[in-house]
Amino acid sequence: MFAKSRALTAVLLMAVLAGCAGNPSAQPQSGDTRFVAGDGAVQVFTAGERKAAPAIEGETLEGRRARLADHKGQVVVLNFWASWCGPCRSEAPVLKDVAEKTKARGVTFLGVDFKDDRAQALAFQRTQKPGYPSLFDQPGKVALAFHGMVNPAAIPSTLVIDRQGRVAARALGEVKYSDLMDAVTKVSDER
């Protein structure tokens, strides 16, 4: 009996630890703990289909204030992520590379750290060195402001906001380099 109990405890412990490695539903969340897995495909919207991005602002992980309005007239790539999210870790080098390669085109990247622990998020940033700031959105208010454009349960998600402040493209799930680069280039070439 003791051996069975010990084996069951070991199996449960391994399941919990595996969940912490990247299964968002295993992470402590307030409210809805179901997350939507996307395929990372980038959907680009025609000018007539685009909706205005909400006016968001907040504190970055480093404690500075940041607003989407600070980037008026620029193309902004907004990436929703969390340190506990496996696909977020996997796509981080893609985002960093596209950010570096499109900066001269007037493209700005801004992360949104969603429902995360600040210390773990800061450790993630120190490791990944994305080169752009992230809003600390532990309560999920920024994600909720994009209701109808991004499912707050879809992590990671990436939005490309055009120079007029409208959502021009969206990817739900881990974005691929060529897809993101193509969408950002297309939107930044618009005048």
Side-chain angles (χ1 to χ4, degrees):
M1 182 73 167
F2 178 72
K4 284 184 181 179
S5 174
R6 211 168 132 186
L8 179 60
T9 301
V11 167
L12 289 173
L13 179 60
M14 287 188 326
V16 167
L17 291 174
C20 291
N23 179 359
S25 63
Q27 301 305 314
Q29 306 295 318
S30 60
D32 189 359
T33 57
R34 296 173 301 134
F35 279 77
V36 176
D39 63 4
V42 177
Q43 179 182 10
V44 179
F45 303 109
T46 65
E49 296 175 308
R50 297 178 185 177
K51 296 179 181 173
I56 60 164
E57 65 179 278
E59 184 177 292
T60 66
L61 285 167
E62 295 80 15
R64 297 184 198 99
R65 298 295 299 166
R67 303 177 314 149
L68 189 55
D70 294 339
H71 307 288
K72 187 176 181 178
Q74 295 178 318
V75 172
V76 178
V77 177
L78 196 63
N79 177 256
F80 294 84
W81 65 276
S83 64
W84 46 259
C85 163
C88 299
R89 288 191 294 270
S90 186
E91 78 173 0
V94 167
L95 295 162
K96 178 180 180 176
D97 195 31
V98 174
E100 288 173 1
K101 290 181 177 174
T102 59
K103 191 175 194 174
R105 300 176 73 92
V107 178
T108 300
F109 275 59
L110 180 63
V112 179
D113 179 36
F114 177 77
K115 294 197 177 250
D116 207 349
D117 174 79
R118 188 183 298 258
Q120 290 178 10
L122 284 166
F124 178 91
Q125 276 203 316
R126 278 191 301 276
T127 301
Q128 297 297 329
K129 297 179 175 72
Y132 54 87
S134 285
L135 295 173
F136 182 58
D137 189 30
Q138 206 294 319
K141 290 180 181 179
V142 173
L144 286 175
F146 283 93
H147 178 72
M149 293 175 230
V150 171
N151 183 333
I155 299 295
S157 290
T158 304
L159 299 175
V160 180
I161 300 169
D162 67 17
R163 295 180 198 284
Q164 290 77 41
R166 304 171 300 177
V167 177
R170 169 183 65 197
L172 303 177
E174 182 179 341
V175 72
K176 292 161 189 58
Y177 177 86
S178 60
D179 294 342
L180 182 59
M181 182 61 91
D182 290 348
V184 171
T185 300
K186 181 177 182 172
V187 174
S188 67
D189 283 346
E190 297 173 350
R191 291 293 165 197

